[in-house]
Amino acid sequence: MSDRDASTPRVILARHGETEWTINGRYTGITELELTPRGEQQVLSTGKLLVGTGKLIDPVQLERVFVSPRRRARKTFELLFGTESELAALNKVEFTEDIAEWGYGAYEGLFGEEIVARRNEQGLDTERPWDIWKDGCEGGESSEQATQRLDSLINRIRDIQRPYMHGEKPVDIVLVAHGHILRAFAKRWLGVPMGSPLAMMLPPGAIGVLSYEEHDINAPAFLVGIALPLEEK
């Protein structure tokens, strides 16, 4: 099997930078938090290395940028692409709840151990430990609800990219969002049920890339390793 051709459309996942709740491990969904100074530097460093003409994320190659409406994601978008990005002027930026963080409901702002203790007090999880991928959140989003909104966005993306699988037009797409929902997106991109195990890590400020095998819209794939664009001499 050949390696991915550079002309195959990609979906690039960009997680927002560090926040105070990222540091201490609180579940952060709808709560509006600023990036820490270190979080801003994480994103700026990523942008300096990977975003720009001839770089891995080339604005000229982008057809759409989907951004979570949460403040930390909006700030990350600005740090990656600049406050005066031409992408907005070209109507290529869309702020959408489709990639807002998983709705944690009653678990918003709690630590993992606090959630487990709360559920134990309610007599839940007697047969197996709580698994957010399967069980969702009390008063928040279920696995089925998260699947539905992500699948809807994936269908939109495939409709955009389907006609250009051999590079007829650059149609890369960027998602600027959150660690949990971006990992959920990757699961659904690959057709993995939300409740099925698929170990993934995406640190604050990190970039991930999805694409297709053999230019085939029906063969979505991870790009496990990325070769950076060649430097012009």
Side-chain angles (χ1 to χ4, degrees):
M1 181 178 293
S2 64
D3 291 334
R4 172 195 174 272
D5 186 276
S7 63
T8 309
R10 302 173 301 176
V11 176
I12 298 164
L13 312 179
R15 183 181 176 185
H16 66 74
E18 175 189 271
T19 70
E20 288 296 336
W21 283 13
T22 305
I23 297 171
N24 60 34
R26 293 182 185 274
Y27 278 67
T28 318
I30 61 174
T31 304
E32 293 288 18
L33 297 174
E34 303 291 347
L35 301 184
T36 64
R38 183 172 183 269
E40 291 193 6
Q41 286 302 311
Q42 288 171 333
V43 179
L44 287 170
S45 296
T46 296
K48 183 178 180 180
L49 180 64
L50 298 181
V51 180
T53 303
K55 296 183 178 181
L56 180 68
I57 305 172
D58 188 336
V60 174
Q61 303 295 316
L62 299 182
E63 177 63 22
R64 198 74 51 83
V65 181
F66 293 104
V67 185
S68 162
R70 300 290 84 78
R71 187 179 301 159
R72 56 199 183 275
R74 287 175 174 267
K75 182 63 174 181
T76 296
F77 166 76
E78 292 175 2
L79 293 173
L80 285 175
F81 294 100
T83 56
E84 302 297 327
S85 171
E86 292 185 0
L87 293 168
L90 295 171
N91 294 319
K92 292 188 174 183
V93 181
E94 181 177 334
F95 297 92
T96 173
E97 292 284 346
D98 285 347
I99 51 169
E101 184 57 294
W102 193 296
Y104 295 130
Y107 305 155
E108 181 78 11
L110 298 184
F111 297 105
E113 57 269 26
E114 292 177 324
I115 297 172
V116 171
R118 176 190 176 105
R119 292 178 65 89
N120 286 340
E121 290 173 0
Q122 295 172 321
L124 302 174
D125 312 322
T126 57
E127 296 184 0
R128 61 170 175 79
W130 173 64
D131 183 343
I132 189 172
W133 299 102
K134 296 178 181 179
D135 305 320
C137 298
E138 178 189 351
E141 196 166 22
S142 69
S143 176
E144 292 77 16
Q145 288 170 324
T147 296
Q148 184 175 15
R149 66 176 165 109
L150 292 175
D151 284 0
S152 176
L153 180 59
I154 288 170
N155 288 336
R156 287 185 62 192
I157 291 171
R158 299 245 169 95
D159 286 343
I160 291 170
Q161 295 183 330
R162 183 177 288 105
Y164 309 107
M165 296 304 291
H166 291 82
E168 295 88 345
K169 173 186 173 182
V171 286
D172 281 352
I173 286 173
V174 174
L175 309 184
V176 184
H178 314 269
H180 192 167
I181 206 64
L182 288 176
R183 287 180 291 136
F185 180 94
K187 273 190 173 185
R188 296 307 303 145
W189 181 264
L190 299 173
V192 176
M194 198 70 81
S196 296
L198 181 63
M200 293 175 285
M201 299 174 67
L202 189 66
I207 298 292
V209 187
L210 304 170
S211 188
Y212 307 88
E213 289 186 302
E214 303 294 331
H215 308 278
D216 186 349
I217 192 73
N218 296 311
F222 271 123
L223 275 173
V224 176
I226 303 296
L228 297 180
L230 299 176
E231 292 187 7
E232 295 185 4
K233 295 183 179 180

